[in-house]
Amino acid sequence: DTAVSQTPKYLVTQMGNDKSIKCEQNLGHDTMYWYKQDSKKFLKIMFSYNNKELIINETVPNRFSPKSPDKAHLNLHINSLELGDSAVYFCASSLHSTGPYEQYFGPGTRLTVT
Amino acid sequence: SQQGEEDPQALSIQEGENATMNCSYKTSINNLQWYRQNSGRGLVHLILIRSNEREKHSGRLRVTLDTSKKSSSLLITASRAADTASYFCALTSQGGSEKLVFGKGTKLTVNP
């Protein structure tokens, strides 16, 4: 059984469109994260939720809006997509937010904006 | 928040050889973790080492931490072709938030 799953795996869309990426974890973890990995493999945290509450909100354009309907799910909605949003987006989870705890990553969603 | 700097950026070795990757940082840390990323996949956690620990082992992996030099190293012994991947250090800073900050990674190629 997949621990952290994301859908879709690939997303190709045009500039200006709105899209969503979904993430689910079946590990019973309290904390979930969204990361963005650019073309140079640099991985940067975007958001973190603990028990549905936003706890980390990095300097991310407000076109990006995360939503956590319950602690097993964390979705990412992106409005008015731009070319620079092209990247691989990873969801991750950890047991708690204060640890230290290892993070479990999903397989990633490769977003291409044309 | 600080980020670890891995060195080298890329490493190519033959199967059976050992691979050593280093991570340096600037300010005090709470803990440091190493992750592996195979091409086109998500990251996989390898080892976590706390600031009061000096060395940890897991199978063929050995991680050391020298807080006086602000550096950590990951040693993979008797490497295999399947070890080909990018390796990232990630750290949480003392006095900062609990967020993990990742370095840019070392790309390891193990040739059969």
Side-chain angles (χ1 to χ4, degrees), chain A residues 41, chain B residues 6-22 34-40 46 60-62 74-89 104-112:
Chain A
K41 301 288 190 187
Chain B
E6 287 98 337
D7 171 62
Q9 289 186 352
L11 180 60
S12 181
I13 59 173
Q14 296 299 122
E15 240 180 350
E17 293 180 342
N18 295 343
T20 300
M21 288 157 267
N22 302 295
W34 285 91
Y35 286 79
R36 182 188 76 229
Q37 184 179 30
N38 289 86
S39 182
L46 297 176
R60 293 182 296 111
L61 306 180
R62 181 173 80 114
L74 169 66
L75 168 68
I76 305 173
T77 59
S79 64
R80 305 166 183 167
D83 295 327
T84 295
S86 291
Y87 291 82
F88 295 87
C89 69
K104 294 183 180 175
T106 292
K107 185 168 169 54
L108 172 67
T109 303
V110 182
N111 302 298

Side-chain angles (χ1 to χ4, degrees), chain B residues 91-105:
Chain B
L91 48 90
T92 58
S93 299
Q94 257 184 31
S97 71
E98 287 286 331
K99 69 180 180 184
L100 266 186
V101 180
F102 284 80
K104 294 183 180 175

Side-chain angles (χ1 to χ4, degrees), chain A residues 37 58 90 97 100 103 105-106, chain B residues 31 35 37 42-43 98-99:
Chain A
Q37 188 173 47
E58 290 294 284
F90 287 99
S97 60
Q103 293 187 13
F105 281 76
Chain B
N31 64 84
Y35 286 79
Q37 184 179 30
L43 280 76
E98 287 286 331
K99 69 180 180 184

Side-chain angles (χ1 to χ4, degrees), chain A residues 64-95:
Chain A
F64 290 78
S65 50
K67 259 202 180 77
S68 182
D70 55 62
K71 75 173 193 176
H73 295 85
L74 180 61
N75 304 322
L76 183 66
H77 188 76
I78 315 170
N79 287 327
S80 303
L81 278 154
E82 299 177 357
L83 292 176
D85 298 332
S86 294
V88 182
Y89 292 84
F90 287 99
C91 176
S93 73
S94 63
L95 187 60

Side-chain angles (χ1 to χ4, degrees), chain A residues 37-74:
Chain A
Q37 188 173 47
D38 63 23
S39 58
K40 295 185 176 165
K41 301 288 190 187
F42 181 47
L43 193 73
K44 193 172 188 322
I45 190 165
M46 301 172 71
F47 302 103
S48 175
Y49 272 74
N50 186 63
N51 272 322
K52 303 192 296 175
E53 298 295 323
L54 181 67
I55 57 170
I56 293 175
N57 185 353
E58 290 294 284
T59 309
V60 176
N62 57 14
R63 298 181 294 103
F64 290 78
S65 50
K67 259 202 180 77
S68 182
D70 55 62
K71 75 173 193 176
H73 295 85
L74 180 61

